[in-house]
Structures are given as structure tokens and as C-alpha cells.
Amino acid sequence: MELVKKIKNPAVRETVDWIIHIGIAIIIAIFITKFVFQRTVVYKISMQPTLKEGDNLIVEKISPKINNIDKGDIITVYSPEYVHEKGNTMIKRVIAVEGDTIKIDDGKVYVNDKVIKEDYILGDYTDNSGEYIEEKIKEDHVYVLGDNREEKIIDSREAGQIKMENVSGKAVMRVFPFNKFELF
């Protein structure tokens, strides 16, 4: 700030000081949205009833980098091969993590041979298109499903296990609509 102090004209000095402070604030904001947090808007119906189209979420980006993703977390997945609009991002729930065995049979989801309680889903049947699904989750992968099990949606049943390098964030809260504010 020595440069600012050398300016003789008080109006110019004040203007330069404001420009420097605004520039610093912009750099910090860019850093935060690039590496720490970002706002994400829900498009589509794959996470109903938990999330509705138009919901605004705050997603933190550090957990995927340090492998701090657990069963039940709602995550964003960068998936351009399956999503062709709105930023190529899917929002899904983690059902199984590295080392787990996932099985979908007769409409029920099993993790490590135990039926999981899914009181958050829409419907009570998980379609596996008539195929018996059983697989062990590979290292650095997760298995994700949407909460809306009544519609044909893209999740790990179609896309397969998701590489952790494609997990772009973990939802920490819904901030809009305001009357549905919620921490995850």
C-alpha cells in the first residue's frame, strides 16, 4: 500500500485504494468458487423427492479430493458422456463406496448383503431392467443412484461405477427455495 500513500491527490488515492480492494475480493471469490464451494442448480427430476428441479445447493469441492465421500452423501458428478446439457453434471446419492458389494434384486438394494433402508426415495422399487445386478465397488469408485426410482434416470445402473476423479463436489446445503433450507 506504499504506492497508494505516494499518490498526492486524495480522490485518486481513494479510487486506487478501492480498485485494489475490489481486485483482491474478486481474486478471493474466484479462488473460493474454483476450489472450495460453488452454487449448483438442480435440473431434472432424478433426485425427487429429496431435491426438486430449481433447488439451489451449496456444494463443497474438498471432500472428493481427500476421499471423504460416504454412503448417503449427495454428490455432483462430472459426466459429459451421459449428461449433454446444463454443465454436464449429475446430482446423485452415494449408495456404496470402495470395497462394498452392491446388489439390486427383486426391487431391493443390498449393500454387503444387507437391504439398505431408503426412506428418502420416490417409490419403493428399484428397477434393474430385469437383470440381476451384483458387483464389488472398485478402488477409487462409488456407486450412485438417484432418489427417484419411478422414472428412467441415468445413474450407476446405466453409467456403471463412478470414478472418484469424476466426483466434483458434495452437497452440504440447500439454500433455495428459502423455505426448504436444509443442511445435508
Side-chain angles (χ1 to χ4, degrees), residues 41-160:
V41 178
V42 176
Y43 297 99
K44 306 281 184 181
I45 60 170
S46 73
M47 284 299 292
Q48 287 182 357
T50 307
L51 302 173
K52 307 258 190 293
E53 191 165 1
D55 284 358
N56 283 242
L57 309 176
I58 299 296
V59 175
E60 63 92 357
K61 297 178 171 186
I62 297 171
S63 289
K65 304 283 187 259
I66 61 172
N67 283 336
N68 186 24
I69 299 294
D70 295 316
K71 291 178 245 186
D73 287 345
I74 297 172
I75 62 171
T76 55
V77 177
Y78 177 71
S79 184
E81 62 271 19
Y82 290 100
V83 183
H84 303 290
E85 70 233 23
K86 306 292 186 193
N88 299 325
T89 302
M90 298 189 299
I91 300 174
K92 302 293 177 212
R93 185 178 302 274
V94 176
I95 302 300
V97 296
E98 173 183 317
D100 287 336
T101 299
I102 182 87
K103 180 168 65 172
I104 301 174
D105 186 31
D106 197 28
K108 301 285 184 219
V109 178
Y110 299 80
V111 175
N112 301 325
D113 293 321
K114 294 181 183 156
V115 175
I116 60 173
K117 184 177 187 250
E118 296 185 289
D119 53 0
Y120 46 79
I121 69 171
L122 185 61
D124 59 357
Y125 185 86
T126 301
D127 183 29
N128 57 351
S129 299
E131 295 180 28
Y132 177 77
I133 296 173
E134 183 171 2
E135 55 187 287
K136 186 171 178 91
I137 309 307
K138 298 181 267 190
E139 185 177 345
D140 291 326
H141 285 72
V142 292
Y143 195 93
V144 298
L145 294 174
D147 288 356
N148 184 348
R149 307 287 169 80
E150 292 185 346
E151 299 289 329
K152 177 78 172 139
I153 59 171
I154 296 171
D155 55 27
S156 287
R157 291 173 290 175
E158 183 174 334

Side-chain angles (χ1 to χ4, degrees), residues 8-58:
K8 303 269 189 243
N9 185 325
V12 173
R13 184 173 45 237
E14 183 75 16
T15 302
V16 169
D17 190 52
W18 273 99
I19 290 170
I20 290 171
H21 283 89
I22 290 170
I24 291 170
I26 289 171
I27 290 169
I28 291 170
I30 290 170
F31 176 81
I32 288 172
T33 58
K34 181 78 175 154
F35 299 107
V36 183
F37 290 103
Q38 79 176 44
R39 180 184 66 91
T40 297
V41 178
V42 176
Y43 297 99
K44 306 281 184 181
I45 60 170
S46 73
M47 284 299 292
Q48 287 182 357
T50 307
L51 302 173
K52 307 258 190 293
E53 191 165 1
D55 284 358
N56 283 242
L57 309 176
I58 299 296

